[in-house]
Amino acid sequence: MTAPAAGHHRTTVAVGYDGSEAAQEAVRWAAEYAAAGNYKIRVIHAWVWPMFTKKLGPVRGVEGSGLRHSAEAILAEGVDVARTALAAARTAAPAPATGNATETGSGVEGVMETGLPAPVLRDAASDARLLVVSSRGLGGVLGHVAGSVCLDLAGSSPCPLMVIRRRRSAGEAPAPVVVGVDGTSRSSAALAGAARLAGILGATLQVVHIDKTHGRAPEGHGRHARHGQELLDHALEEARILAPELSVSGVLREGHAASKELLAAAADAEVLVIGTHNREGGPGNTVTAVLNKARCNVLITR
């Protein structure tokens, strides 16, 4: 990985951890990202048991038992995974001097808070530049409730949300970062986020626009609104200005279901980047469909 553009004032990458294998992969991805930008890592564990029982202490006569001890052990494990992965990533590609240097030591901290996963992660990532979660796990004993964590955070995260489905193998060249644009302000944020991420990953950037007009005169947002190829060309120009060092390409697809077309365009992508509605309005139908069906990692920008 190479360094992202400097200038972002937030220097912490937050990542959720519940002890699952999927969460370990999310922590390792976060460590590689943090090493590339010389950022700190905050490992977050949501401790749900105090919401259901007061019996949190150890079982009499059984050393190392009890729900509190178990939660503390899970957090300690997550911090250890982060430290090991961060050290390995720094050795493989020493972090540049970006002005965001970590404090002396590993640059990893652990946070354990009582509550459901989504609210805990949201609060603990309030000052983060990125919140990383796995597409599975983070629910523990809550079963089906875990499936709502990513969707909840997609609409309410205080910072961009990275949902990890897979992490590429060591030495494997990164696949393209794919970003969907539609000419709105949120797609401009998605484009900027995608350009930064592609630079970090050392990947190419593919800009995708879904033309829903099928040759018909578009229903505009004002007579100067861009549509179709014109909109895509403008986004490509913007991307090349944002990150002139990147290899940037564009794809124009037709179809009424934006999520279906984006998923098809990102079938072999490293990351699919999309914008979301405002925090009060929820993630929206496209984001929901993408999170439910994407095979690649997904970055939801703000």
Side-chain angles (χ1 to χ4, degrees), residues 98-183:
T98 62
N100 293 324
T102 57
E103 298 172 356
T104 301
S106 70
V108 179
E109 66 172 332
V111 173
M112 184 174 80
E113 297 291 347
T114 299
L116 297 176
V120 167
L121 291 167
R122 184 167 55 242
D123 292 346
S126 61
D127 63 342
R129 67 174 288 114
L130 183 69
L131 173 57
V132 183
V133 297
S134 167
S135 62
R136 304 179 301 279
L138 295 177
V141 298
L142 298 180
H144 70 277
V145 176
S148 67
V149 173
C150 289
L151 286 177
D152 190 333
L153 291 171
S156 64
S157 174
C159 59
L161 176 72
M162 174 63 75
V163 180
I164 301 300
R165 291 186 178 275
R166 66 177 185 87
R167 194 173 132 263
R168 70 178 185 271
S169 304
E172 179 185 352
V177 171
V178 175
V179 56
V181 297
D182 61 6

Side-chain angles (χ1 to χ4, degrees), residues 16-68:
Y17 189 73
D18 66 355
S20 66
E21 291 184 12
Q24 289 183 14
E25 289 298 285
V27 169
R28 293 187 181 105
W29 190 97
E32 293 174 1
Y33 181 96
N38 211 15
Y39 303 124
K40 294 174 282 190
I41 301 176
R42 180 177 301 143
V43 180
I44 306 162
H45 178 61
W47 190 28
V48 300
W49 281 115
M51 301 176 66
F52 304 108
T53 180
K54 295 182 179 179
K55 298 179 180 180
L56 305 172
V59 177
R60 182 176 298 178
V62 181
E63 185 177 355
S65 63
L67 296 173
R68 180 183 295 276

